[in-house]
């Protein structure tokens, strides 16, 4: 860990922190520091900080060596501003009307939600800049994981998966860009499974030219499981992103994502004796297999 939660009473804590555990040697641990000049350029408050300190652990992994593993818990969607009756009521002594309360709450929710979005997007942006700089300096593989509190496809965090550049020479983009980009582990797993399915079918068909298309096995149905439930809605908020060393489409990669699993039993079928102290998110895990 690179931070300590705040103790409320005895074993009760608030302001949770991130952590990492590894069966492989952790050779270095640090809290990521953002670029203060960039904060100013982005028009953010000079006192800007990550809502939770970002942990970077350099872990010595087999075959690829030192790998920078980042653990995050980006700002939640909970509104940063709350309606305060003491500041929104009129100068008169009588309490505000029900309509006035609703209006004040609505305004606080709109402004507060946008404030949280700005914080979350800024955290992701500033972290990505530091990851790119670190990659340039060390050439070490990267893994980014944790609770993103947002859908990756949302524009707020979509820049974490940037893989194209406008106005840059095509050759240079193809040659250098992949080294500094991240890939969603789920997409890498899905692509691998589809390519294995296609290769298997091609091999079978080559051995039997009379195989009818209608008899061909259906493609595997791959749907990513949600990692968070709120009321009747569900979404994916937790991710593992990987650098090109774990992407088989990259010529010099070492590993492929051979399995992707979402542990959600404690959410969809909870048992108090077993799950009373579990997380309110599903746990994402992947298996990395050395490429043959």
């Amino acid at each position: 860990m690179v931070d300590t939660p705040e103790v409320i009473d005895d074993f009760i804590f608030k302001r949770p922190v991130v952590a990492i555990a590894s069966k492989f040697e952790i050779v270095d641990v640090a809290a990521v520091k953002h670029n203060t000049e960039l904060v100013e350029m982005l028009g953010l408050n000079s006192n800007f900080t990550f809502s939770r300190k970002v942990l970077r652990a350099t872990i010595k992994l087999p075959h690829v060596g030192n790998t920078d593993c980042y653990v995050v818990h980006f700002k939640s969607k909970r509104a940063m501003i709350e309606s305060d009756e003491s500041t929104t009521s009129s100068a008169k002594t009588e309490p505000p009307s029900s309509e006035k309360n609703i209006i004040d709450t609505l305004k606080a929710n709109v402004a507060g939600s946008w404030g949280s979005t700005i914080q979350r997007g800024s955290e992701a942006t500033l972290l990505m800049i530091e990851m790119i700089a670190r990659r340039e300096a060390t050439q070490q593989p990267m893994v980014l994981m944790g609770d993103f509190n947002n859908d990756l496809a949302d524009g707020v965090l979509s820049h974490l998966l940037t893989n194209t550049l406008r106005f840059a020479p095509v050759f240079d983009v193809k040659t250098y860009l992949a080294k500094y980009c991240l890939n969603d582990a789920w997409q890498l797993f899905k692509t691998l499974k589809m390519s294995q399915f296609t290769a298997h079918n091609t091999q079978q068909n080559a051995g039997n030219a009379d195989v009818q298309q209608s008899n061909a096995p259906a493609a595997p149905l791959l749907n990513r499981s949600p990692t968070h439930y709120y009321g009747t809605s569900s979404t994916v908020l937790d991710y593992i992103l990987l650098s090109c060393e774990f992407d088989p489409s990259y010529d010099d990669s070492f590993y492929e994502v051979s399995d992707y699993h979402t542990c959600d039993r404690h959410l969809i079928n909870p048992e108090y004796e077993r799950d009373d102290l579990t997380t309110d998110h599903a746990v994402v895990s992947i298996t990395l297999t050395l490429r043959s």
Side-chain angles (χ1 to χ4, degrees), residues 4-15:
T4 305
E6 182 179 336
V7 180
I8 299 177
D9 180 29
D10 196 12
F11 59 90
I12 307 298
F13 293 80
K14 69 176 182 178
R15 304 188 187 282

Side-chain angles (χ1 to χ4, degrees), residues 33-228:
K33 298 185 182 299
H34 61 267
N35 186 316
T36 54
E37 293 183 1
L38 183 56
V39 165
E40 184 178 346
M41 291 174 59
L42 294 175
L44 301 172
N45 189 303
S46 59
N47 296 323
F48 177 92
T49 59
F50 290 109
S51 56
R52 296 176 182 85
K53 288 186 178 181
V54 177
L55 183 154
R56 184 189 71 230
T58 302
I59 300 177
K60 191 173 183 179
L61 297 181
H63 304 287
V64 295
N66 288 351
T67 300
D68 289 326
C69 300
Y70 297 82
V71 185
V72 299
H73 190 170
F74 290 142
K75 178 69 180 72
S76 71
K77 292 185 178 181
R78 186 179 298 110
M80 298 177 66
I81 301 173
E82 295 183 1
S83 177
D84 186 350
E85 291 184 4
S86 64
T87 59
T88 58
S89 61
S90 63
K92 298 179 181 180
T93 56
E94 64 269 14
S97 65
S98 297
E99 182 177 4
K100 178 61 174 173
N101 277 331
I102 290 296
I103 291 173
D104 290 338
T105 301
L106 175 60
K107 290 191 293 185
N109 186 73
V110 170
S113 295
W114 177 240
S116 295
T117 300
I118 293 174
Q119 174 74 24
R120 185 167 57 258
S122 299
E123 289 176 354
T125 299
L126 293 168
L127 171 60
M128 191 64 191
I129 295 299
E130 295 308 311
M131 291 179 67
I132 293 171
R134 171 82 173 179
R135 171 76 152 172
E136 181 183 17
T138 67
Q139 299 299 305
Q140 292 172 176
M142 304 180 291
V143 178
L144 172 60
M145 50 193 164
D147 178 0
F148 288 26
N149 265 316
N150 215 104
D151 189 325
L152 259 184
D154 190 325
V156 177
L157 298 184
S158 59
H159 51 282
L160 290 175
L161 298 178
T162 297
N163 58 10
T164 58
L165 292 177
R166 296 179 64 187
F167 310 123
V170 175
F171 176 80
D172 290 347
V173 168
K174 186 175 181 180
T175 304
Y176 304 113
L177 184 60
K179 287 175 52 180
Y180 299 94
C181 293
L182 294 172
N183 305 277
D184 184 355
W186 165 256
Q187 295 299 334
L188 293 178
F189 169 69
K190 188 176 179 179
T191 299
L192 177 66
K193 289 304 176 185
M194 292 304 298
S195 64
Q196 289 175 340
F197 168 78
T198 302
H200 177 72
N201 273 0
T202 301
Q203 185 177 15
Q204 280 195 328
N205 292 343
N208 185 1
D210 297 327
V211 171
Q212 298 295 318
Q213 186 66 28
S214 59
N215 295 328
L221 183 62
L222 299 172
N223 294 314
R224 174 154 38 185
S225 300
T227 67
H228 187 259

